[in-house]
Amino acid sequence: MISVFGSANMDLVAYVSEAPKRGETVTGHHFRTIPGGKGANQAIAAARAGARVAFLGAAGDDAFGAEMRATLAEAGVDVRGLRQVPGPSGIAHIVVDDAGGNSIVVVPGANGTVTGPSADDLAVIAASQALLLQLELPLEAVVEAARGARAAGVPVFLTPAPARPLPEELLDAVTTIVPNEHEAAAITGVAGVDAALDALLERVEEAVITLGSQGALFGSRSGERLRVPSVPVKAVDTTAAGDTFVGALAVARSEGRAMADALTFASAAAALSVQREGASTSMPAREEIDRQVS
């Protein structure tokens, strides 16, 4: 089982030919509300990629919260750890342009009430084969969950987004950090992905830097280095590509696959996701990923 301690947001997605500049108004060509949030996205991605998944987080007592709970459950995710709190659920306002690029504003809502994992949450984490974390919950809660996993010998995958300075007490508990190239630069203050990878490995055991259409770069403190190319596709919407990658990567690693195979599996999943609109709606099933890599 994989546990995910993270955010659940309703994505409010506007599709436009070209994203507006500051002070500019543009006309979009359509709009969708799609359950998302980096935590919920990763949970759904891992479930569709073949794992048993438990989601730990919070949603509001509004209609968005009810829809997010139903969407997770329909994907096969155990939602007993998704607590309901008074007030609004988290939302993400997303603008997607015709090239598939996006810009996102997140309003935490119920996610901001998660000040730490409960005793039940820690028990679920301790029984997991991997814990997935992101930074859309309060930082102190993320640190506590990571430390709980580490104490139980559970590998911790951290997506450091939104990018921010990371305390050593968090990084000491992380097994694998998975930033994109912009997040890696922001975290390390180092330009260039190879140099950023070296800087990350001074602080964590393993790092994977995702590079969009250029694939992914992996390194470990043992000296292993891998560069995995992306699958060439025409992107429609890249919103959940990183979350899909991480969810699939954790599944492959929990199945005992070598890192090279796990990265290929994760890259295939991400390539499938960017060919579809939305976050949770874009994530591929296990059969699709297996066909892509065969």
Side-chain angles (χ1 to χ4, degrees):
M1 180 185 71
I2 291 173
S3 56
V4 182
F5 183 73
S7 58
N9 293 324
M10 183 60 74
D11 293 344
L12 313 177
V13 190
Y15 295 88
V16 299
S17 297
E18 187 173 343
K21 302 176 180 63
R22 183 173 182 175
E24 181 183 15
T25 299
V26 301
T27 299
H29 41 75
H30 64 291
F31 172 81
R32 299 178 69 187
T33 58
I34 305 170
K38 296 194 74 63
N41 287 344
Q42 291 181 6
I44 291 171
R48 290 188 178 159
R52 288 194 306 115
V53 180
F55 181 73
L56 310 170
D61 57 1
D62 54 5
F64 286 164
E67 185 175 351
M68 289 188 291
R69 182 181 299 275
T71 298
L72 284 159
E74 287 167 7
V77 176
D78 184 339
V79 294
R80 287 176 290 179
L82 176 59
R83 65 195 77 165
Q84 184 183 83
V85 299
S89 297
I91 66 99
H93 181 273
I94 304 173
V95 176
V96 179
D97 63 32
D98 283 351
N102 63 71
S103 58
I104 304 173
V105 177
V106 174
V107 181
N111 298 303
T113 70
V114 183
T115 56
S118 67
D120 287 343
D121 292 341
L122 290 172
V124 171
I125 290 169
S128 303
Q129 293 172 287
L131 170 66
L132 305 188
L133 296 171
Q134 323 77 36
L135 299 179
E136 289 183 343
L137 296 182
L139 186 59
E140 64 270 20
V142 177
V143 171
E144 189 176 344
R147 293 174 68 179
R150 195 65 164 186
V154 176
V156 177
F157 291 76
L158 172 67
T159 301
R164 59 185 297 177
L166 301 177
E168 292 304 321
E169 60 181 334
L170 173 57
L171 293 175
D172 287 345
V174 169
T175 309
T176 308
I177 191 169
V178 192
N180 64 29
E181 56 188 310
H182 307 295
E183 292 156 358
I187 293 165
T188 63
V190 175
V193 293
D194 289 286
L197 183 64
D198 289 334
L200 288 170
L201 292 176
E202 292 177 2
R203 306 179 73 188
V204 296
E205 297 174 23
E206 297 180 339
V208 180
I209 302 178
T210 59
L211 306 171
S213 62
Q214 301 304 307
L217 179 65
F218 166 78
S220 71
R221 283 182 175 171
S222 67
E224 185 180 8
R225 291 278 177 128
L226 296 168
R227 187 181 288 268
V228 177
S230 65
V231 179
V233 296
K234 177 175 175 53
V236 172
D237 183 352
T238 61
T239 302
D243 296 330
T244 303
F245 182 96
V246 174
L249 178 67
V251 171
R253 291 295 276 169
S254 71
E255 293 175 350
R257 299 193 189 198
M259 182 57 80
D261 288 342
L263 290 169
T264 298
F265 183 82
S267 295
L272 289 163
S273 77
V274 302
Q275 297 176 70
R276 305 163 182 167
E277 291 183 351
S280 60
T281 51
S282 73
M283 294 166 176
R286 177 62 177 256
E287 305 78 51
E288 296 176 280
I289 305 171
D290 287 341
R291 283 198 301 270
Q292 182 73 55
V293 299
S294 63

